[in-house]
Amino acid sequence: MALRLRITMAAALGTLASAWAGPAAAQHWTKIENPPPVVGLDGQAHQARCSGFPGTDPKFSFFVRRTASKNLVVYFEGGGACWDNLTCSFPIAGLPAQVPQFFVPAVPPGIEQTLVDGIFSTSNAANPVRDWNMVYIPYCTGDIHTGSATKTYTSVGHPVLPVPPGTPITIQHRGYDNFMVVLDWMKRHIAAPKNVLVTGVSAGGYGATANSPWVGQAYPNAHMYLLADASQGVTTAAFDHGNPGRNSWNPQLAPWVFGAGADVAPGPELMRRAALGQPKVKAAQFTTTLDAVQIGFYGVMKQYYGPGGSCPNPAIDWHQQMTRQLVADAADLGNFRYYLAGGSYHTLLRDGQFYSESSAGPSFASWLGDMLANRGGRGGHGGGWFNAACPTCLADLPCQ
């Protein structure tokens, strides 16, 4: 079961990795390469860098697309995670599906050339942010953009890469530091946007959720929006509180929103606390009903950092927890909505499904447009922007 889960997850992540190798298009992205250290908005010193996995480029860079708009998208890229000897031994490296692949270790060369579809399209009239300024934050640290730690693991061996068993692997979990460097640049170069959408896919959706309070601090007069794509936070308590586990990263969470200390906001509560602690921010989550990648990661946690939920089937267990959390958050939080789609695919912001997904009724792009058009009133209270789910997506699946 564990091997099958890891293979399924690796195949799905491999599909995402291969999608980054798309054709070039003129999108006028400016690359900010190897930015200098800064004293961040939190008053601490930060240096940007990637994981440093053996044989990879440790330099960090990010990308900016400027327009005449007064609005801004801050996008956090996804790409898995690593937190122990097993997961940090297997980077995403474009390998066959049977080889486990858990995290992106470096900024992929030419990544900006693939940012052409979905939310990045400048030519599709259905894209509600097609003319917005954009800051694209790559992901290369294995820590869902929240880490500030240097951690040494021991390789379990790799069937392809030259990292034999017992080799020390030092990983720079510096996603939070990278974000603070980017945020410093943003404050210096993008003044007083009117509307700000903080968003991301997969690990980047967690990064958007966790770091959105700092963006709000940087732009206190902006209308703020938060969207997490395929980042439901179904985890186990042993992972959330463990080292190894989430605490391998020394995660940095805004204390005035999430509470003091790394252990206070377990995975299932990250979005809930982000919305509750930022009542003027419209917050939203998207997922498919049986997201194969999210289920794959949860299956690894359930096996090695269990017990997790009561159902031994990780797919059913994940679905049960995911739907119950969505429904509870929507009932309690006036500024939160969800879009729950049919299927098992992972993320839609980067591709054509951003426009074609309509299993929950409205197309996802139009649903996001309603969110950004301030339908639902200030803070999401009111009509015109609704929770959306495919006809069977909220059904409670029996354990089997």
Side-chain angles (χ1 to χ4, degrees):
M1 171 64 76
L3 178 59
R4 178 163 58 85
L5 282 169
R6 290 199 292 271
I7 289 173
T8 299
M9 178 178 59
L13 285 174
T15 299
L16 176 61
S18 66
W20 289 344
Q27 289 281 346
H28 308 294
W29 291 96
T30 299
K31 183 178 184 179
I32 312 299
E33 190 169 11
N34 208 20
V38 303
V39 174
L41 192 60
D42 61 355
Q44 303 299 311
H46 300 282
Q47 180 180 351
R49 66 194 100 169
C50 286
S51 72
F53 185 90
T56 65
D57 187 351
K59 294 193 300 295
F60 176 78
S61 56
F62 65 98
F63 300 87
V64 179
R65 190 175 72 196
R66 301 301 301 270
T67 72
S69 171
K70 295 183 180 297
N71 303 321
L72 171 65
V73 175
V74 182
Y75 179 96
F76 292 79
E77 188 56 276
C82 90
W83 59 86
D84 60 13
N85 293 339
L86 171 66
T87 54
C88 292
S89 292
F90 291 95
I92 296 174
L95 300 175
Q98 63 268 25
V99 180
Q101 298 179 83
F102 287 96
F103 73 105
V104 174
V107 178
I111 184 68
E112 74 278 14
Q113 297 175 5
T114 71
L115 307 178
V116 297
D117 204 352
I119 200 171
F120 300 111
S121 174
T122 58
S123 59
N124 194 322
N127 182 5
V129 297
R130 62 189 177 277
D131 63 343
W132 288 32
N133 294 283
M134 286 201 173
V135 174
Y136 172 86
I137 306 177
Y139 176 52
C140 58
T141 51
D143 56 10
I144 64 172
H145 295 272
T146 64
S148 184
T150 299
K151 187 81 170 180
T152 298
Y153 304 96
T154 301
S155 172
V156 301
H158 198 285
V160 178
L161 302 179
V163 188
T167 302
I169 302 173
T170 298
I171 298 294
Q172 299 290 343
H173 293 301
R174 297 290 174 177
Y176 174 76
D177 297 280
N178 293 349
F179 163 67
M180 276 289 155
V181 170
V182 175
L183 186 63
D184 181 81
W185 186 96
M186 289 165 51
K187 280 179 56 64
R188 295 174 186 273
H189 295 88
I190 302 176
K194 179 180 180 182
N195 297 292
V196 178
L197 170 63
V198 184
T199 189
V201 299
S202 192
Y206 295 114
T209 303
N211 292 311
S212 60
W214 288 110
V215 180
Q217 289 276 302
Y219 299 119
N221 296 319
H223 297 291
M224 296 293 300
Y225 305 87
L226 168 63
L227 169 65
D229 174 3
S231 320
Q232 292 308 120
V234 179
T235 54
T236 66
F239 170 78
D240 285 336
H241 302 300
N243 188 355
R246 192 177 74 172
N247 286 337
S248 296
W249 309 329
N250 184 29
Q252 304 296 297
L253 303 175
W256 69 93
V257 169
F258 299 104
D263 283 349
V264 297
E269 293 189 22
L270 278 176
M271 175 57 79
R272 182 182 185 87
R273 296 196 185 197
L276 186 65
Q278 303 176 96
K280 294 182 180 180
V281 173
K282 281 188 176 179
Q285 285 181 310
F286 168 86
T287 188
T288 54
T289 188
L290 287 169
D291 183 317
V293 172
Q294 293 192 72
I295 290 169
F297 270 101
Y298 178 65
V300 173
M301 293 179 193
K302 191 175 174 72
Q303 179 179 4
Y304 295 103
Y305 298 85
S310 60
C311 181
N313 183 322
I316 301 299
D317 187 6
W318 181 87
H319 179 273
Q320 290 175 343
Q321 294 190 59
M322 176 272 294
T323 54
R324 291 166 188 168
Q325 189 71 49
L326 285 180
V327 170
D329 288 352
D332 295 343
L333 303 168
N335 60 331
F336 172 81
R337 303 286 191 275
Y338 61 78
Y339 192 112
L340 180 56
S344 60
Y345 68 86
H346 184 62
T347 81
L348 86 174
L349 287 183
R350 288 183 54 116
D351 56 49
Q353 284 174 305
F354 178 75
Y355 305 103
S356 62
E357 175 56 68
S358 60
S359 63
S363 72
F364 180 80
S366 68
W367 184 83
L368 177 61
D370 287 341
M371 174 185 178
L372 298 175
N374 209 35
R375 294 187 174 91
R378 185 170 179 81
H381 298 273
W385 178 50
F386 304 99
N387 296 305
C390 79
T392 61
C393 282
L394 288 172
D396 194 24
L397 300 181
C399 183
Q400 56 186 12

